[in-house]
């Protein structure tokens, strides 16, 4: 693992096993990962108090996450009092995986995560006035159309990930979080603006003509994740 002031660069762990991807695409398991990422190591009893559900059920989900490397034991313990911590500070998936089963599982997980992120953004929009001024000022959204080669867009994505990974070690180690640090979520997506086969700059039936970047003022939102099919344990 890297540190913020030196050492090896943090890098997302690539998950390409379909069973591991399906195991994560479960609302309770994602809730558990988020809770442990925000609060640090948790036992099944502590986690059940935060995310809800029975302790035996939460213990099962924690073991399933550990089985696929998403969590590891924080220290020695037994049964439901065994504490678990984040096993990987970030993961990456590939919806273009040559294995169609893995690609489909990655796409399913991506949809679940996107829905959760958009739902939190809508919650922020709804509750915006209740946030401190500095948090509202640091929040926002922007949209732009870029003319770039695919290779250039890959470089843009890599540079964004590199910036985000500078902050990743603060997830498993709360001691690295500076005073005043709060969890912010940053969502980035990129995709071709036009439909396949359309000429550059031509309007398409379901999309507006490209225009200059149009940043939008920040605003707040509430999570309602799409319930995925029951993943394998």
């Amino acid at each position: 693992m890297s540190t913020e002031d030196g050492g090896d660069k943090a890098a997302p762990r690539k998950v390409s096993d379909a069973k591991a991807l399906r195991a994560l695409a479960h609302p309770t398991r994602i809730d558990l990962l988020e809770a442990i990422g925000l609060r640090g190591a948790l036992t099944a009893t502590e986690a059940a108090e935060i995310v809800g559900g029975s302790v035996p059920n939460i213990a099962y989900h924690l073991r399933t996450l550990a089985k696929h490397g998403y969590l590891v034991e924080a220290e020695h313990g037994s049964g439901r009092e065994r504490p678990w911590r984040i096993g990987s500070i970030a993961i990456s998936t590939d919806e273009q995986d040559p294995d169609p089963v893995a690609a489909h599982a990655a796409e399913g997980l991506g949809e679940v995560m996107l829905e959760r992120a958009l739902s939190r953004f809508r919650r922020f929009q709804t509750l915006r006035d209740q946030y401190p001024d500095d948090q509202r000022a640091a929040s926002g959204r922007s949209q732009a159309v870029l003319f770039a080669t695919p290779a250039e867009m890959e470089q843009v994505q890599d540079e964004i990930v590199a910036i985000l990974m500078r902050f990743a070690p603060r997830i498993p180690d709360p001691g690295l979080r500076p005073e005043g640090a709060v969890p912010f979520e940053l969502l980035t997506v990129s995709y071709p603006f036009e439909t396949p086969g359309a000429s550059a700059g031509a309007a398409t039936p379901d999309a507006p003509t490209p225009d200059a970047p149009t940043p939008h003022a920040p605003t707040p939102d509430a999570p309602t994740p799409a319930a995925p099919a029951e993943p394998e344990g």
Side-chain angles (χ1 to χ4, degrees), residues 109-123:
L109 176 59
E111 288 297 323
V112 172
M113 301 301 285
L114 179 61
E115 270 308 311
R116 291 173 70 95
L118 291 175
S119 154
R120 281 188 288 264
F121 178 63
R122 297 186 195 103
R123 179 186 62 197

Side-chain angles (χ1 to χ4, degrees), residues 66 71-78 82-85:
L71 295 177
V72 295
E73 289 187 50
E75 56 189 62
H76 292 299
S78 61
R82 176 190 307 161
W84 299 94
R85 64 176 175 82

Side-chain angles (χ1 to χ4, degrees), residues 18-100:
K19 184 176 289 189
L21 292 166
R22 288 196 296 267
L24 182 55
H26 186 293
T28 299
R29 293 172 192 166
I30 298 174
D31 285 344
L32 288 168
L33 275 185
E34 291 176 349
I36 293 172
L38 292 174
R39 296 169 175 81
L42 295 173
T43 65
T45 301
E46 293 168 333
E49 293 176 356
I50 296 169
V51 306
S54 69
V55 173
N57 187 48
I58 293 302
Y60 166 75
H61 287 308
L62 290 170
R63 291 194 303 272
T64 300
L65 288 168
K67 173 183 175 182
H68 295 287
Y70 300 117
L71 295 177
V72 295
E73 289 187 50
E75 56 189 62
H76 292 299
S78 61
R80 299 167 190 172
E81 300 313 309
R82 176 190 307 161
W84 299 94
R85 64 176 175 82
I86 293 294
S88 302
I89 55 179
I91 67 170
S92 68
T93 62
D94 185 3
E95 296 182 12
Q96 306 303 317
D97 195 296
D99 177 356

Side-chain angles (χ1 to χ4, degrees), residues 3 20 24 33 46-47 79 88 107 118 122 139 145-146 152 166 203 210 232:
T3 60
L24 182 55
L33 275 185
E46 293 168 333
S88 302
E107 183 178 357
L118 291 175
R122 297 186 195 103
S139 304
V145 174
L146 310 178
E152 288 174 324
R166 283 167 33 199
E232 298 181 24

